[in-house]
Amino acid sequence: MKKVMVLLLVLMVTGASFIFANGATEAPATATSAPAKKLIVVGYAQVGAESDWRTANTESFKSTFVEANGYKLIFDDAQQKQENQIKAIRNFIQQDVDYIVVAPVVETGWETVLGEAKAAGIPVILSDRQMKLSDDSLYTAWVGGNFLKEGQDGVKWLNDYVAKNGLANKDLNMVLLQGTIGSSAQVGRTQGITEGIAKNPKYHLLAKQTGEFTQAKGQEVMESFLKAYPKIDVVFAENDNMAFGAIDAIKAVGKVPGKDIIIISFDAVHEAFNKMIAGELNADVECNPLHGPRVAEIIQKLEAGQKVDKIMYVTEGSFDTTNAKEILPTRKY
Ligand code: AHR
């Protein structure tokens, strides 16, 4: 009898199931609660923090991939170095994340590490910049801006400006501040800009050089352009932060940015609107950084077993001094 009492006590304390004669079991009478939904773990290999655009892009991911939305985000800042991104992707594989998201610093050199992700069965989603791959099955989907079109739109704005302001017969000397060489943002924009310039015999591209998408480097390169070429009429800056650096360099030599030298930029971040309103920046072609919700939508579709488009371009606009003031209050970054 004592043994039976002890056994009953043990079963009560451990909450063990009772076994019935027919072999069926009854679950212990504990309070029932719905099992917690498993968070989707996403590793994001970010380029770095080189520009206002990038900061907005990081914020977009950090505010989207939160626990309240069912995610755990593992964020890695590669400081603009491809080797750091490769390391980050390997870490994500080791941690067995559910999805890997990459904004690749440059276009090439990804086959090996993406092959490792594929072997581990982890889908890779590309965002912002693209990769040039020998095997497109190494990634599931890409979402971002059309960099070639952005470059073309920058030249289109200049062509319209030249026509409207009676400058068609004037020779125009130009310089180009390029982004990180080998990044799809640089490759596409440079192609669009240089091909557009080459179509007009009055346009003369004096020089092009990378400013690494940063304000400091943009300023430094613009200073060297201004020393080398006494007559510059137009600057194309492949992102806003380099344009801000160029504006400072132009002011430092006593010239008036936006008047003595026309400046066309890319991104269209808040500060660029302020500079257009001040007349220091003439035009800006949009590159939208708010990819967090777009990538989340792709993931949700994949989770639901739905097909997703392989390539998704974001619609983007162009702005200038004539509409900057009116548009600024509507901007989200
Ligand atoms: O890939 C997008 C580009 O990268 C943005 O134009 C630039 O600001 C960023 O650093």
Side-chain angles (χ1 to χ4, degrees):
M1 183 62 185
K2 203 175 165 194
K3 270 189 189 164
V4 173
M5 292 290 289
V6 169
L7 179 64
L8 277 174
L9 198 65
V10 168
L11 287 171
M12 279 165 70
V13 170
T14 60
S17 303
F18 284 98
I19 302 167
F20 289 89
N22 65 3
T25 58
E26 185 188 307
T30 52
T32 50
S33 60
K37 224 180 149 202
K38 199 178 145 280
L39 295 176
I40 298 171
V41 182
V42 176
Y44 183 30
Q46 172 63 293
V47 169
E50 72 282 4
S51 62
D52 290 13
W53 187 101
R54 191 63 55 194
T55 305
N57 178 258
T58 292
E59 174 51 29
S60 175
F61 275 83
K62 287 191 172 170
S63 58
T64 301
F65 291 94
V66 292
E67 282 200 21
N69 293 341
Y71 297 101
K72 177 176 183 244
L73 179 69
I74 308 174
F75 180 85
D76 187 273
D77 173 339
Q79 299 179 355
Q80 295 228 69
K81 290 196 176 79
Q82 183 180 30
E83 65 262 33
N84 289 347
Q85 282 197 311
I86 290 174
K87 258 187 230 155
I89 295 169
R90 291 206 166 110
N91 277 335
F92 297 154
I93 296 171
Q94 250 174 18
Q95 292 175 74
D96 196 22
V97 300
D98 297 306
Y99 293 89
I100 293 173
V101 182
V102 190
V105 176
V106 289
E107 288 186 327
T108 56
W110 299 100
E111 275 82 357
T112 307
V113 74
L114 291 202
E116 292 165 26
K118 190 178 177 183
I122 303 172
V124 173
I125 297 164
L126 307 182
S127 161
D128 167 26
R129 300 177 185 174
Q130 287 181 310
M131 291 182 184
K132 241 189 211 156
L133 295 163
S134 51
D135 173 5
D136 274 354
S137 77
L138 291 173
Y139 73 98
T140 304
W142 168 85
V143 63
N146 186 333
F147 300 120
L148 174 63
K149 182 176 178 298
E150 290 170 8
Q152 292 166 339
D153 287 350
V155 180
K156 188 178 172 305
W157 181 87
L158 181 65
N159 294 341
D160 292 347
Y161 180 87
V162 163
K164 267 188 220 146
N165 291 279
L167 302 171
N169 293 322
K170 197 173 177 267
D171 284 290
L172 294 174
N173 290 333
M174 309 183 182
V175 292
L176 169 56
L177 292 167
Q178 297 171 287
T180 304
I181 299 298
S183 67
S184 66
Q186 175 274 315
V187 173
R189 286 174 192 161
T190 296
Q191 186 185 337
I193 295 165
T194 54
E195 286 178 354
I197 290 175
K199 281 185 191 148
N200 188 330
K202 290 287 184 188
Y203 292 174
H204 310 287
L205 183 61
L206 304 175
K208 58 181 194 311
Q209 194 179 320
T210 183
E212 305 286 358
F213 282 131
T214 69
Q215 185 155 341
K217 192 85 176 128
Q219 180 167 350
E220 190 188 310
V221 176
M222 190 64 208
E223 282 164 2
S224 71
F225 283 162
L226 287 161
K227 274 189 198 133
Y229 306 102
K231 194 182 166 301
I232 296 172
D233 302 298
V234 179
V235 178
F236 281 96
E238 285 181 4
N239 85 341
D240 281 341
N241 288 81
M242 292 192 297
F244 304 156
I247 288 169
D248 290 343
I250 291 167
K251 283 182 181 167
V253 295
K255 292 193 174 177
V256 182
K259 288 201 174 64
D260 296 334
I261 300 180
I262 296 164
I263 306 171
I264 301 158
S265 182
F266 298 84
D267 285 355
V269 298
H270 272 149
E271 186 51 23
F273 277 83
N274 291 330
K275 298 246 188 284
M276 283 192 280
I277 293 165
E280 296 181 335
L281 176 66
N282 300 77
D284 213 311
V285 179
E286 183 181 31
C287 179
N288 189 307
L290 308 178
H291 297 318
R294 298 181 183 119
V295 171
E297 198 183 321
I298 294 171
I299 290 176
Q300 286 308 321
K301 282 189 176 165
L302 293 172
E303 288 288 301
Q306 293 170 17
K307 276 193 113 186
V308 293
D309 290 334
K310 188 90 179 178
I311 301 285
M312 280 165 272
Y313 287 109
V314 174
T315 309
E316 295 165 328
S318 298
F319 313 99
D320 64 15
T321 51
T322 65
N323 59 13
K325 198 169 175 192
E326 177 200 333
I327 302 275
L328 177 59
T330 68
R331 303 294 293 169
K332 294 202 170 63
Y333 58 91

